[in-house]
Amino acid sequence: MDMLSDDRTPEIARRYADVLLTHERVGFVEPARGRAFAAATGEWIVYLDADEIVHPRLAHWIRSFVDGEPQYDVALIPRVNVFLGRWIRSSNWWPGHPRLFRAGWIEASPEIHRGLKRRAGARVTHLPRDPELSMWHFSY
């Protein structure tokens, strides 16, 4: 999902995505995120923002997890926040938030900073506190 970026984001995204959807700029990501979740056609959704990367070990874990017919609906994945080249260890993103889930088990709030809501009865697993099993966020 692209919110009408005026940089090279759409060009880069098209190299990696089969479908690139757009959403008007509204000043925050939640409405676009919800629309992207609703448009997803696969059984599993993993999402990351343009300023995030998936550590290679995490990518391997995700592939193994979804291929292994897991008994869970949601995986809480830690995020390492990097600010001005340093890991900010005191953020609320450690040990994890729902970033991998079966379609339909997570809903994005349409309101700013309200996060994601799990459907009642969701079976949840937590990844260990390991930087190599984390998403890395580079804010600046």
Side-chain angles (χ1 to χ4, degrees), residues 15-89:
R15 292 195 316 235
Y16 301 99
D18 294 329
V19 176
L20 180 61
L21 303 175
T22 59
H23 192 283
E24 66 183 329
R25 284 189 184 192
V26 293
F28 56 102
V29 301
E30 287 81 359
R33 191 169 285 153
R35 184 165 166 242
F37 293 170
T41 59
E43 179 184 1
W44 287 94
I45 296 171
V46 61
Y47 83 91
L48 67 148
D49 295 331
D51 57 357
E52 295 174 324
I53 63 168
V54 171
H55 190 281
R57 192 165 152 225
L58 173 61
H60 177 74
W61 183 92
I62 291 171
R63 175 85 277 158
S64 296
F65 178 77
V66 300
D67 286 347
E69 300 182 26
Q71 60 184 339
Y72 301 101
D73 305 305
V74 177
L76 303 183
I77 298 177
R79 186 172 84 165
V80 173
N81 285 304
V82 177
F83 182 74
L84 298 175
R86 300 183 104 180
W87 177 8
I88 306 301
R89 296 175 184 261

Side-chain angles (χ1 to χ4, degrees), residues 35 38 78 125-126:
R35 184 165 166 242
T125 187
H126 300 255

Side-chain angles (χ1 to χ4, degrees), residues 74-110:
V74 177
L76 303 183
I77 298 177
R79 186 172 84 165
V80 173
N81 285 304
V82 177
F83 182 74
L84 298 175
R86 300 183 104 180
W87 177 8
I88 306 301
R89 296 175 184 261
S90 61
S91 73
N92 70 344
W93 279 91
W94 195 264
H97 284 262
R99 300 300 292 264
L100 171 67
F101 49 90
R102 290 182 198 270
W105 284 91
I106 292 288
E107 180 181 304
S109 171

